[in-house]
Amino acid sequence: MTRCPLPPLVLLPVSSFVLLLFLPQLPPAQSQVVTTIEDFFSHSFPNFDSVDNGANFSIFNDAGYRQGALQLTPDTVNVVYMFNKSGRVFYNRPFKLWQMDSSSSSGAATKQFLSFSTSFKINVFRSNNGNLNTGEGMAFLLSSDLGPAPPGSHGCFLGLTNASLNGNPGNHFVAIEFDTVMQTDLGDPNDNHIGLDINGVNSTKTASDLKVQISPPGFPTNHTVWVDYDGMVPYLHVYMAIDDDPKPASAVLEAPLDLNDFLKQEFYFGFSASTGTNYELHDVLSWNLTAKMSHVGRKGLAAWKIGAIVGGVSVFVMVLVAGLWVGLKVRKRTARDATSSYSSAMRLPGTPREFEFKDLDKATNNFDEKMKLGKGGFGEVYRGVLPGENKQVAVKRFSRGGTSAPDDFLKELTIINRLRHKNLVPLVGWCHTNSMLLLVYEYMPNGSLDHHLFDGPNSMPTTTLSWERRYNVIAGVASALHYLHDEYDQKVVHRDLKASNIMLDANFNARLGDFGLARALESDKTSYAELEMVGVPGTMGYIAPECFLTGKATRESDIFGFGAVVLEVVCGRRPRCDIDGFLFLCDWVWKLFREGRILEAVDARLGEDYDPEDARRLLLLALACSHPISSERPKTDVTVQIISRTRAPPSVPHFKPSFVWPSFPAMAGTSSWLTAVSAVASSYEASPTRRTPHLLDGDGHVASKDLSLTS
Ligand SMILES: *[C@@H]1O[C@H](CO)[C@@H](O)[C@H](O)[C@H]1NC(C)=O
Ligand SMILES: *[C@@H]1O[C@H](CO)[C@@H](O)[C@H](O)[C@H]1NC(C)=O
Ligand SMILES: *[C@@H]1O[C@H](CO)[C@@H](O)[C@H](O)[C@H]1NC(C)=O
Ligand SMILES: *[C@@H]1O[C@H](CO)[C@@H](O)[C@H](O)[C@H]1NC(C)=O
Ligand SMILES: *[C@@H]1O[C@H](CO)[C@@H](O)[C@H](O)[C@H]1NC(C)=O
Ligand SMILES: *[C@@H]1O[C@H](CO)[C@@H](O)[C@H](O)[C@H]1NC(C)=O
């Protein structure tokens, strides 16, 4: 009896064969060659014994070389010499965080920013001699000061700073600590955590839920750590795995971070560690480091974005020319350098790159129908395998013709290029050639959420998502939305939130995809009126009622879509479906809630396998998000807290409030405009199946300039 007339509108399956790509691609270890091509650096230290005897490393305090390792705190038979020690080691070649590139033909200098990708193997070993205490920890250190650790930097200070200098902005260091002692007064979550330390040991961000134990008792254990910094975004990712295991798909710690805020232009890479009233060994066994200057400065990117958003076709043409120019320049340099290590620099993690059309054509087998994953609002999506990389990707080819397509492309590119969040589908690169525009995303092997909720003609799923997975998916979507709305420096509205736009990665984590409709929302401007918006974004059932009147997507309308997704995931039904005489899932759930039977809304296919308290929490949250009055819907910070169970579920009125427009009662007046408005509103509320030609097309999709491109 459930009729679900809405086919998935946009499919953008993507994946997580990220590992191959993200492993640093360095020259063979035995070559011992430092590759320095203009502004590219790459080197592998397979071990540290005879490498250079001090020529390349500056060793300070209690650090030293031993048995092929950098030993940050001493290892001696005389235990007395192991307490209260601290040590530092730097690779003594300075690096620049930014530089001016004046080589451009126009003569105008652009600022370039450094990105790096490093991995190192560490061994943090607590003694076997009946002393199972840990002490204290080590750090990967970026410092503008190539000097020793200050006096008193033992104990909790990890060789980074001391009690009087802790937190001093003049320290000019940023470190990733691997801390094995819990100092509650410093806010440590436990005795096995990773933290981001900026000028002090009070971490600005910590990760405590590690899959590894940094210093396991009993036997020495190696760990590999990866630190990727993208200076263009700018953003930091830290990954950690045991022994030589491959780089994990998800980062253990990540944060938006601009090193320029804390370091001087020049800085050094190094390590530090300390012991205290307990001790352990802190060794670095091997180290790979790749760094490169970006060829498009962040400034250039920002200008590009403004162009894309503000400008019309003329700006687009200008930008396209600029883009081609940059592309040509990069290609020219690549040709000149003709080294494989240079092109590997173009593959630094988190840096979307430009592809040649022929490579994407090859990857998708000439855009073979068999490779087609789906059709989106702006074009078609194909699966592909990048030639020579064995990496699966999803290639989105934008529809040709249609004057808005190039503009849409730039909008999408400039925005997603800079968005980084573990619950967003990452962009791998792009390509524009002649009139063809393409975006390359990571391929998500598990496809889209709606495919897991409903598949087949009778809406029977191929696999029933377990309750834990469903909860996790909702938490992921909430977190991504919060990032877009509030955490990212440019406020972004997604505009098209729905189950078919939510991808599942290999671990069934939610990845929000398809930012085809996303636009940066200037923080003080919430209107798209100037942008000549035609029609309404989104898909029926996910669209907030006010959107029918304003044609504007807002953060509040995103929340409405989020509520629809939550209902869909918990109930296993489409937002619009005939059920008990209700045309909208939301109305049916609201009735069950009123009658005190809200849990009857939970997907029957789950049987008893769900947590009633959590289900109730999500359903109430979804109803609150479905509030017809936009200002009454919760904000993303609240939704995140409710889902993480740190805040009580919202209180919801027993009857769904009616939609009033404008939403300020004082203004609800008399004009004939209002009458027209309420007519449209009630057609949405009461009989959405009726064809309202200007709002809905035959499939129940909202007809808009954007969506009409599909056909
Ligand atoms: C180490 O130092 C030597 C001597 O200064 C230098 O030739 C070599 O390039 C350095 N190696 C690295 C990896 O910096
Ligand atoms: C280590 O330093 C702390 C103070 O920082 C002191 O209380 C302790 O006695 C010292 N331990 C040793 C063995 O020197
Ligand atoms: C460094 O790179 C080499 C060569 O690619 C690799 O074999 C080694 O495992 C890497 N070491 C670390 C610590 O990532
Ligand atoms: C910290 O280091 C500074 C600079 O070396 C020094 O002047 C100060 O005395 C040290 N503070 C402590 C508590 O050791
Ligand atoms: C670090 O934490 C300690 C203990 O809570 C506090 O006294 C100190 O002010 C903090 N320092 C900074 C720079 O936040
Ligand atoms: C740790 O790595 C070192 C150097 O790569 C190796 O010699 C040692 O056997 C490893 N230890 C363990 C426990 O795997």
Side-chain angles (χ1 to χ4, degrees):
M1 82 179 195
T2 304
R3 198 170 62 86
C4 295
L6 301 184
L9 180 63
V10 179
L11 278 173
L12 178 65
V14 190
S15 143
S16 56
F17 287 101
V18 210
L19 305 184
L20 286 174
L21 179 85
F22 282 2
L23 282 175
Q25 312 203 349
L26 297 170
Q30 65 275 15
S31 75
Q32 288 298 309
V33 176
V34 180
T35 320
T36 315
I37 302 165
E38 290 181 7
D39 33 24
F40 173 68
F41 171 89
S42 184
H43 191 68
S44 214
F45 300 98
N47 55 56
F48 297 94
D49 43 6
S50 55
V51 173
D52 62 19
N53 244 335
N56 301 109
F57 286 93
S58 299
I59 312 271
F60 294 108
N61 314 81
D62 304 312
Y65 294 106
R66 206 180 114 100
Q67 292 177 350
L70 290 175
Q71 201 153 64
L72 305 173
T73 55
D75 166 16
T76 140
V77 283
N78 191 342
V79 158
V80 171
Y81 298 112
M82 297 180 71
F83 296 105
N84 287 351
K85 297 294 178 195
S86 64
R88 270 188 187 190
V89 172
F90 287 107
Y91 176 42
N92 56 21
R93 175 196 193 280
F95 286 80
K96 282 195 174 128
L97 275 180
W98 57 268
Q99 69 186 24
M100 298 311 287
D101 174 20
S102 50
S103 63
S104 80
S105 52
S106 69
T110 54
K111 202 168 177 180
Q112 300 183 329
F113 293 91
L114 185 87
S115 293
F116 65 81
S117 183
T118 184
S119 58
F120 45 90
K121 202 196 254 191
I122 58 173
N123 188 319
V124 181
F125 177 47
R126 55 172 105 173
S127 159
N128 261 333
N129 306 329
N131 165 17
L132 285 181
N133 294 320
T134 45
E136 292 270 339
M138 63 171 285
F140 173 63
L141 174 60
L142 310 172
S143 169
S144 290
D145 171 30
L146 178 76
S153 62
H154 61 269
C156 66
F157 295 107
L158 303 181
L160 293 170
T161 184
N162 68 22
S164 36
L165 291 172
N166 187 26
N168 188 330
N171 291 347
H172 296 295
F173 77 76
V174 171
I176 314 292
E177 65 166 40
F178 302 86
D179 197 341
T180 59
V181 172
M182 178 165 172
Q183 262 100 24
T184 37
D185 57 339
L186 295 180
D188 285 356
N190 61 17
D191 62 359
N192 184 52
H193 63 271
I194 297 181
L196 174 61
D197 292 356
I198 295 172
N199 291 326
V201 290
N202 306 35
S203 305
T204 53
K205 186 160 186 184
T206 56
S208 55
D209 188 17
L210 311 186
K211 304 228 161 30
V212 298
Q213 189 161 12
I214 298 167
S215 180
F219 49 91
T221 306
N222 295 341
H223 289 106
T224 306
V225 175
W226 294 260
V227 180
D228 297 331
Y229 173 70
D230 184 340
M232 297 267 287
V233 177
Y235 207 91
L236 178 89
H237 282 99
V238 181
Y239 305 79
M240 187 166 184
I242 196 162
D243 291 324
D244 297 315
D245 279 5
K247 186 174 179 179
S250 48
V252 59
L253 181 81
E254 59 180 283
L257 173 72
D258 192 346
L259 292 175
N260 290 285
D261 293 344
F262 310 107
L263 303 181
K264 297 180 189 166
Q265 183 187 6
E266 208 165 85
F267 76 101
Y268 300 87
F269 287 98
F271 299 91
S272 74
S274 68
T275 62
T277 45
N278 291 300
Y279 63 85
E280 62 193 4
L281 294 180
H282 304 98
D283 285 3
V284 181
L285 305 172
S286 59
W287 185 17
N288 293 338
L289 174 63
T290 301
K292 77 154 185 118
M293 279 291 173
S294 61
H295 289 279
V296 185
R298 266 184 270 165
K299 275 228 181 69
L301 210 74
W304 199 359
K305 169 187 272 178
I306 291 161
I309 290 167
V310 175
V313 172
S314 63
V315 173
F316 167 69
V317 169
M318 266 165 54
V319 165
L320 194 67
V321 169
L324 285 175
W325 175 79
V326 169
L328 276 178
K329 189 172 139 195
V330 169
R331 232 168 279 149
K332 231 187 277 159
R333 287 197 193 198
T334 314
R336 194 193 323 139
D337 300 326
T339 74
S340 59
S341 34
Y342 186 86
S343 57
S344 77
M346 303 305 290
R347 248 170 267 156
L348 277 181
T351 314
R353 58 185 155 134
E354 188 175 5
F355 285 91
E356 302 240 2
F357 180 75
K358 66 173 170 36
D359 287 336
L360 298 182
D361 196 40
K362 198 166 160 197
T364 55
N365 207 0
N366 306 328
F367 296 93
D368 189 343
E369 274 299 299
K370 284 204 282 296
M371 303 292 265
K372 197 150 147 185
L373 294 166
K375 202 168 179 180
F378 302 88
E380 279 147 1
V381 183
Y382 296 82
R383 190 168 61 82
V385 182
L386 292 180
E389 283 178 51
N390 200 20
K391 177 189 163 67
Q392 292 204 77
V393 290
V395 180
K396 184 169 179 183
R397 185 171 64 168
F398 286 70
S399 330
R400 247 188 285 197
T403 49
S404 69
D407 205 20
D408 290 331
F409 172 80
L410 274 185
K411 255 176 284 166
E412 186 155 6
L413 180 58
T414 51
I415 294 169
I416 58 184
N417 196 23
R418 300 185 54 196
L419 293 171
R420 294 287 183 283
H421 187 274
K422 66 181 191 309
N423 296 111
L424 295 179
V425 175
L427 180 72
V428 176
W430 73 92
C431 167
H432 48 70
T433 173
N434 304 327
S435 59
M436 198 88 84
L437 304 167
L438 303 105
L439 285 184
V440 183
Y441 295 92
E442 276 178 28
Y443 174 75
M444 296 274 141
N446 279 322
S448 63
L449 174 60
D450 68 330
H451 161 78
H452 289 269
L453 288 173
F454 332 96
D455 213 283
N458 301 316
S459 301
M460 288 307 291
T462 43
T463 54
T464 304
L465 281 175
S466 71
W467 176 252
E468 286 69 30
R469 280 189 177 156
R470 293 185 197 212
Y471 203 92
N472 184 42
V473 162
I474 291 172
V477 175
S479 165
L481 207 55
H482 183 48
Y483 170 75
L484 294 178
H485 285 187
D486 288 311
E487 291 182 320
Y488 184 59
D489 58 352
Q490 286 275 318
K491 307 298 177 211
V492 171
V493 278
H494 184 281
R495 303 177 84 234
D496 198 17
L497 201 61
K498 56 189 167 189
S500 59
N501 268 345
I502 296 165
M503 301 296 136
L504 298 180
D505 69 15
N507 298 318
F508 288 89
N509 294 310
R511 296 286 197 129
L512 211 47
D514 209 329
F515 292 83
L517 295 167
R519 286 171 196 238
L521 175 66
E522 299 299 322
S523 40
D524 52 349
K525 264 192 253 154
T526 51
S527 164
Y528 292 125
E530 326 82 90
L531 295 171
E532 189 219 341
M533 278 288 303
V534 181
V536 180
T539 308
M540 197 63 198
Y542 296 97
I543 304 167
E546 71 273 12
C547 287
F548 287 97
L549 306 172
T550 62
K552 287 183 220 159
T554 57
R555 278 178 262 188
E556 290 75 26
S557 63
D558 268 1
I559 291 284
F560 186 92
F562 172 71
V565 168
V566 173
L567 286 178
E568 202 167 1
V569 170
V570 175
C571 307
R573 297 172 191 271
R574 303 254 184 208
R576 221 197 82 189
C577 48
D578 288 335
I579 177 163
D580 271 359
F582 290 94
L583 290 168
F584 284 93
L585 180 57
C586 165
D587 294 331
W588 177 65
V589 175
W590 219 302
K591 181 197 119 193
L592 292 177
F593 164 62
R594 178 162 62 244
E595 295 172 355
R597 312 188 278 144
I598 196 168
L599 290 181
E600 288 177 29
V602 176
D603 191 343
R605 293 169 302 190
L606 286 169
E608 300 278 290
D609 295 333
Y610 69 93
D611 181 319
E613 200 186 319
D614 279 348
R616 193 182 153 75
R617 180 193 321 279
L618 292 184
L619 288 168
L620 290 177
L621 173 63
L623 292 182
C625 293
S626 309
H627 201 295
I629 299 170
S630 62
S631 56
E632 295 294 309
R633 293 171 205 147
K635 304 271 180 285
T636 53
D637 54 342
V638 171
T639 63
V640 166
Q641 287 166 10
I642 290 170
I643 293 166
S644 66
R645 307 179 185 92
T646 53
R647 189 185 183 117
S651 62
V652 174
H654 280 109
F655 285 88
K656 183 174 165 185
S658 34
F659 175 64
V660 288
W661 184 264
S663 43
F664 326 102
M667 285 173 68
T670 50
S671 73
S672 58
W673 175 78
L674 256 184
T675 325
V677 154
S678 50
V680 178
S682 59
S683 80
Y684 164 82
E685 291 281 287
S687 74
T689 40
R690 195 177 69 209
R691 288 280 293 271
T692 41
H694 296 295
L695 292 175
L696 300 177
D697 66 17
D699 292 334
H701 299 150
V702 174
S704 71
K705 185 178 67 171
D706 294 337
L707 299 174
S708 59
L709 284 172
T710 38
S711 46

